[in-house]
């Protein structure tokens, strides 16, 4: 019996893995900027999640590395990698929601990409498995 793989599903999953890697690298760079020059980000409103900008830098650096590594493993198509990819994307979305007062447009873009990645990996991820 031959399995039919949807080209669209495979393409969406590969795109989701690529987006995980790209947004992970961008978040790591964003974290490095906050660590090196904590006056780069200007805080607008004070929210309940008011950490020091350097602390946010370390959070973004670590989350960015985790997201990028998860994207690399998702390309392999393993079920555990998709599960980790979804978990890391959820965590990334939550972290960026808390980051909204510091860099609102970028945080909203990352949240939207994370939602797309979660959708792609949960709906179409199983079509990539060999």
């Amino acid at each position: 019996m031959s399995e039919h793989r949807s080209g669209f599903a495979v393409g969406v999953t590969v795109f989701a893995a690529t987006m995980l890697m790209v947004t992970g690298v961008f978040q790591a760079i964003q974290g490095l900027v906050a660590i090196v020059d904590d006056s780069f980000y200007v805080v607008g409103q004070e929210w309940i999640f008011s950490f020091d900008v350097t602390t946010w830098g370390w959070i973004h650096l670590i989350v960015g590395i985790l997201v990028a590594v998860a994207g690399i493993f998702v390309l392999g198509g393993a079920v555990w990698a998709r599960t980790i990819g979804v978990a890391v994307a959820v965590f990334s979305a939550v972290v960026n929601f808390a980051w909204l007062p510091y860099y609102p447009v970028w945080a909203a873009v990352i949240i939207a990409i994370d939602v797309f990645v979660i959708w792609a990996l949960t709906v179409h991820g199983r079509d990539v498995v060999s």
Side-chain angles (χ1 to χ4, degrees):
M1 181 160 66
S2 89
E3 289 186 36
H4 174 68
R5 293 185 189 167
S6 166
F8 174 76
V10 172
V12 166
T13 304
V14 170
F15 182 74
T18 305
M19 291 308 294
L20 277 171
M21 290 184 291
V22 169
T23 58
V25 169
F26 285 167
Q27 281 192 61
I29 292 170
Q30 179 180 356
L32 284 174
V33 168
I35 292 167
V36 172
D37 182 13
D38 63 351
S39 64
F40 181 80
Y41 298 109
V42 177
V43 181
Q45 289 182 343
E46 286 293 322
W47 286 18
I48 196 163
F49 308 110
S50 58
F51 294 128
D52 179 50
V53 175
T54 305
T55 304
W56 275 117
W58 282 106
I59 292 170
H60 278 284
L61 179 63
I62 293 167
V63 170
I65 291 169
L66 291 174
V67 169
V69 169
I72 292 168
F73 285 117
V74 167
L75 284 178
V79 175
W80 66 267
R82 289 195 324 263
T83 304
I84 297 297
V86 169
V88 169
V90 167
F91 187 65
S92 171
V94 169
V95 166
N96 278 286
F97 176 76
W99 178 251
L100 278 170
Y102 298 91
Y103 221 54
V105 174
W106 180 247
V109 168
I110 296 298
I111 291 169
I113 291 171
D114 287 336
V115 168
F116 170 78
V117 166
I118 293 165
W119 171 80
L121 294 179
T122 55
V123 174
H124 297 294
R126 72 181 124 292
D127 295 336
V128 177
V129 176
S130 329

